[in-house]
Amino acid sequence: MKIRSCLVAASLVASGGLFAIAAPAQAALTTTCVGEGGAVTVNGTLVVPAGASCTLTGTKVKGAVTIEAGADLVAKDVTFNSTVAVGNNAYLDITDSTVKGAVTEQGAFGVHVQNTAAGGGISAVGGFLYSVDATVKGDVRASSGELYISGTTVSGAVSGDANLYTDVYDSTVDKTLTVSANTLGGVLCASEVEGDTAYRNNSDTLQLGGDGPLSSCAQATYLGGDLAVTGNNANAVLDNTIVRGKLTASDNSPALQVGELARVRGGIAATTTAPSASLARAAKAAPQDRGADLAAKVAERTAQAEAEAAAAGTGL
């Protein structure tokens, strides 16, 4: 979590909310947010400066939004007409909103998107990307962090590369789903993927449909293309899933375990076994949905950001 010095805190209080910075003639106006902002329109770009906290409610921003290193932006019922960039150790929490451009983060603490339409896709490198009940027009791509998607509709592809884990619950992906080199594997539960699905070179545990050691999953999963499960050093289980294409499973250690509720329509080119008794017992004993841990991180950082923004005052 962030640590604020007394000097920094005092400067935030003195700055008092949003204020505009004059720009050269014919250049776009830049507005800096430190504190609380309400239902106004920002005609240019918006910046949350390094180390500061900003909360927005009902705000419209026509230009790009930048959250600088270590800063926080908590936004509710907002409209961002352009892109949102989240910097190193920065944080974005956006709910009940619309973002017409791409959301990108580089080395951030995390990004939480809920009940929000993201029109330009979401890309994250490092930190967590936690999407709940969102609509994403474009791709969702995350690497070197944590990726958790729940109740989300993605018009493009979803990829999780070299993450701690990639978990997809109750979501729809119009194109491909690719999960590769995740340290703690991943979960695919009660979801629909229209394109091909691939799990490659992952470790620990892969739960593809059905109840398992990582989560309880009662509803079926539908995969409209081929499914490839290859090169994983993970306990991998496929169950309660309809695969419209073919199943390819090779070079997995141990072999992919296929449950009795899995249905593969396009043929099987795979080395598989039946689910082990130990995994079945683990599924009944202690499912571990990782969303609870992310929700706790979100609640803590959001509360801290809101408190700091309130202390800094209002300026709109």
Side-chain angles (χ1 to χ4, degrees):
M1 304 302 295
K2 299 178 298 176
I3 299 174
R4 300 279 196 261
S5 69
C6 295
L7 178 62
V8 171
S11 69
L12 296 184
V13 174
S15 64
L18 291 179
F19 57 90
I21 297 176
Q26 298 182 339
L29 185 70
T30 296
T31 299
T32 298
C33 181
V34 180
E36 298 175 317
V40 300
T41 297
V42 177
N43 288 315
T45 60
L46 178 74
V47 174
V48 184
S53 292
C54 168
T55 61
L56 298 175
T57 304
T59 310
K60 182 176 181 179
V61 181
K62 293 184 177 181
V65 176
T66 300
I67 307 167
E68 294 184 342
D72 298 318
L73 174 58
V74 178
K76 300 175 183 177
D77 192 28
V78 303
T79 300
F80 294 155
N81 283 351
S82 188
T83 58
V84 179
V86 188
N88 185 55
N89 196 37
Y91 174 61
L92 170 66
D93 181 289
I94 184 166
T95 59
D96 302 319
S97 297
T98 298
V99 181
K100 296 182 180 179
V103 177
T104 60
E105 70 98 322
Q106 182 75 40
F109 174 80
V111 171
H112 173 226
V113 179
Q114 185 160 355
N115 295 323
T116 291
I122 305 175
S123 176
V125 180
F128 65 77
L129 172 54
Y130 183 28
S131 174
V132 181
D133 298 333
T135 301
V136 181
K137 293 183 178 180
D139 296 339
V140 173
R141 301 188 180 278
S143 61
S144 305
E146 303 168 73
L147 175 58
Y148 190 102
I149 301 174
S150 175
T152 295
T153 299
V154 182
S155 67
V158 172
S159 67
D161 179 56
N163 289 321
L164 192 61
Y165 58 83
T166 298
D167 291 351
V168 180
Y169 287 84
D170 192 27
S171 295
T172 300
V173 180
D174 286 350
K175 294 185 179 179
T176 59
L177 169 64
T178 305
V179 180
S180 58
N182 283 234
T183 305
L184 298 180
V187 175
L188 179 59
C189 170
S191 296
E192 182 174 336
V193 181
E194 294 298 330
D196 293 339
T197 300
Y199 283 81
R200 303 187 180 98
N201 304 320
N202 300 286
S203 302
D204 200 271
T205 304
L206 294 174
Q207 181 184 326
L208 312 182
D211 290 336
L214 296 178
S215 181
S216 177
C217 185
Q219 295 179 309
T221 291
Y222 174 82
L223 305 181
D226 297 335
L227 170 62
V229 183
T230 58
N232 300 287
N233 292 310
N235 288 311
V237 181
L238 171 67
D239 203 2
N240 200 15
T241 298
I242 297 172
V243 182
R244 187 172 180 85
K246 67 180 180 180
L247 168 64
T248 300
S250 61
D251 301 320
N252 298 300
S253 179
L256 173 66
Q257 301 172 56
V258 179
E260 60 182 12
L261 295 181
R263 300 289 184 268
V264 180
R265 306 302 190 198
I268 299 176
T271 302
T272 65
T273 64
S276 68
S278 61
L279 278 179
R281 287 193 298 270
K284 295 179 180 179
Q288 301 171 0
D289 188 335
R290 289 179 280 229
D293 290 338
L294 283 182
K297 288 182 181 181
V298 164
E300 183 176 4
R301 182 86 173 221
T302 296
Q304 178 184 342
E306 289 175 335
E308 292 178 357
T314 59
L316 290 181

